[in-house]
Amino acid sequence: MARLYCSQQVSYIGFLGPKSRTERILHEIVKIDSTRLESLRDVIYSPIGLDLGAETAEEVAVSIAAELLAVRNRRSPQFLRDKPGAIHDNRLAASEERRNPGTAAGASMRPICGI
């Protein structure tokens, strides 16, 4: 019997396919009881991906990557045109520092090109 064990806090568990399939996997295969499942609801993303109208495998991959970024950056997806204020905020500098330690905020690298 498989069990879900992790030594670190899990912030994202994604499943492809219908929600009913995810429930079945978690109950029957991973053997997570209802109480434990409720404690994981905030980190389970099923079906995985954002609703971008994706149909092809490539489009589904983009929707999944977009969701992963949103979760990692603790953001709710929205159109940039609807976002009040600046597009980039101070979290960008912190994110860049994590990826490239020693990079000073406001360095010559432009945020949009610093991928």
Side-chain angles (χ1 to χ4, degrees):
M1 287 185 233
R3 300 251 183 222
L4 183 65
Y5 293 107
C6 186
S7 62
Q8 297 179 355
Q9 178 71 25
V10 174
S11 59
Y12 189 92
I13 302 170
F15 289 90
L16 284 169
K19 292 177 186 179
S20 59
R21 180 175 167 268
T22 299
E23 295 282 329
R24 193 173 68 251
I25 289 170
L26 291 172
H27 286 299
E28 295 175 13
I29 298 173
V30 184
K31 304 292 184 195
I32 293 182
D33 62 47
S34 297
T35 304
R36 177 75 174 126
L37 183 57
E38 276 308 309
S39 72
L40 292 172
R41 287 271 181 222
D42 289 343
V43 299
I44 295 175
Y45 293 80
S46 174
I48 189 173
L50 298 180
D51 182 5
L52 304 176
E55 295 294 334
T56 67
E58 294 84 1
E59 292 171 341
V60 170
V62 168
S63 78
I64 292 169
E67 181 176 270
L68 289 168
L69 284 171
V71 171
R72 183 191 74 184
N73 294 326
R74 296 179 185 92
R75 294 295 183 100
S76 294
Q78 68 181 38
F79 292 111
L80 288 175
R81 70 172 185 199
D82 297 335
K83 182 178 179 186
I87 293 172
H88 303 285
D89 60 18
N90 292 336
R91 286 188 246 183
L92 178 66
S95 176
E96 179 59 30
E97 180 64 29
R98 278 195 316 270
R99 283 194 300 260
N100 298 307
T103 302
S108 62
M109 185 184 307
R110 295 181 57 201
I112 197 72
C113 300
I115 297 173

